[in-house]
Amino acid sequence: MKCSEICSLLEREYGTEYACDWDNVGLLAGRRDKEVKRILLALDANDETVARAADGGYDMLITHHPMIFTPLKSVTDADMNGRRLLKLIRQDISYYAMHTNYDTRGMADLAAKMLGLTECAVLEEVKDGEGIGRVGRLPGRMTLRECGAHVKEVFAIPSVRLYGDPEKELSLAALCPGAGKSTMKEALKFHCDVYITGDIDHHTGLDAVDQGLCIVDAGHYGIEHIFMEDVKAYLEKVLTGVHMDCVPVRHPFEVV
């Protein structure tokens, strides 16, 4: 199957029009007429992932986070992303990114379902009533400590950070996989008890608690790694004759 056909199938389910206007999604490098027999899925197009795609004989790399966010003035081996792009292009690997359009059309509902949230609403609308994150009822009243343990178990995360009284009882949760600092204001508007997200800095965490909002910080990778298996499952339903692999789940840091 040609790369262009796979792009169309992805965009049928996760339309690029649902991406935030600051984002960069779609086919970012490679040939649209490339015949694709092997696909590698990953969260990030880092050096290890690009090397795995090149050494493994893959025809297409699909990631959640785009390698290219800002316009490039050059593509050379003097730049980190330039080296990555050169390797992909030399190996004739088409590279596709699906970021906030997947957050809107896939990630939010999947993560909420895995956590057992009910009575869900969109946290921040992007387009046509769909958007980033979810607000919903936890599967039962639980303390912040129990909520943190629940998040760890559901997403197989080695550790989470808790902001707030660990024994405070919670009911209404906001969820934003990835980095949720910018949407914390939406969680406050919903009068949520807890905000489950990642990449919360010191001052944001303190300010949240002072406004009555507890936080479970699962890290940026902690929840979003579900992207790989979810998109793989979708593609397996709509593609035939194409082999697909996911980069093994490996959290990018350790707490010691």
Side-chain angles (χ1 to χ4, degrees):
M1 180 170 283
K2 292 191 182 299
C3 170
S4 59
E5 296 174 293
I6 295 171
C7 293
S8 294
L9 290 170
L10 288 169
E11 289 161 17
R12 185 175 72 187
E13 184 72 7
Y14 311 103
T16 56
E17 68 271 22
Y18 289 97
C20 295
D21 55 12
W22 49 260
D23 205 359
N24 189 30
V25 300
L27 187 65
L28 303 188
R31 296 190 293 119
R32 294 186 62 83
D33 63 351
K34 166 75 176 180
E35 190 68 28
V36 175
K37 295 182 180 178
R38 288 172 58 82
I39 295 174
L40 181 65
L41 293 111
L43 200 69
D44 298 285
N46 58 9
D47 287 353
E48 182 180 356
T49 295
V50 171
R52 184 184 290 267
D55 297 342
Y58 291 94
D59 304 299
M60 188 171 186
L61 172 63
I62 300 173
T63 68
H64 179 47
H65 298 134
M67 183 196 306
I68 306 169
F69 258 124
T70 55
L72 298 176
K73 293 185 178 180
S74 64
V75 178
T76 74
D77 62 359
D79 173 79
M80 180 176 63
N81 277 344
R83 290 191 292 272
R84 293 168 179 167
L85 287 167
L86 286 170
K87 180 170 283 191
L88 291 172
I89 292 167
R90 280 198 300 264
Q91 297 293 324
D92 196 17
I93 299 170
S94 295
Y95 170 53
Y96 189 94
M98 42 195 302
H99 189 206
T100 51
N101 53 320
Y102 175 77
D103 287 337
T104 299
R105 297 282 293 168
M107 182 86 78
D109 281 337
L110 176 60
K113 182 178 179 180
M114 291 174 70
L115 283 171
L117 300 187
T118 59
E119 303 174 36
C120 288
V122 170
L123 178 63
E124 183 178 53
E125 184 175 347
V126 173
K127 179 181 174 66
D128 298 336
E130 303 215 38
I132 303 293
R134 293 293 181 267
V135 174
R137 297 284 171 188
L138 290 165
R141 289 194 69 84
M142 59 181 70
T143 65
L144 175 59
R145 189 187 308 278
E146 290 168 335
C147 183
H150 180 53
V151 172
K152 279 179 61 177
E153 180 181 8
V154 166
F155 298 107
I157 303 170
S159 63
V160 298
R161 294 191 302 161
L162 306 180
Y163 290 87
D165 178 359
E167 304 309 318
K168 181 179 179 179
E169 287 202 342
L170 314 171
S171 177
L172 185 64
L175 165 69
C176 182
K181 177 179 176 178
S182 65
T183 48
M184 191 181 84
K185 62 184 182 297
E186 305 301 328
L188 289 166
K189 288 179 184 177
F190 278 97
H191 303 290
C192 293
D193 301 313
V194 62
Y195 187 30
I196 302 166
T197 187
D199 288 356
I200 294 297
D201 63 71
H202 173 79
H203 295 289
T204 301
L206 293 179
D207 290 348
V209 173
D210 281 349
Q211 295 174 88
L213 180 65
C214 296
I215 289 179
V216 176
D217 187 331
H220 201 121
Y221 186 93
I223 296 175
E224 288 197 326
H225 66 77
I226 63 177
F227 159 84
M228 294 183 284
E229 290 292 345
D230 187 42
V231 175
K232 180 174 180 282
Y234 166 70
L235 288 174
E236 286 174 340
K237 291 178 184 177
V238 297
L239 294 179
T240 56
V242 178
H243 176 83
M244 279 166 279
D245 291 310
C246 297
V247 169
V249 172
R250 190 172 71 191
H251 295 270
F253 63 87
E254 293 184 16
V255 177
V256 298

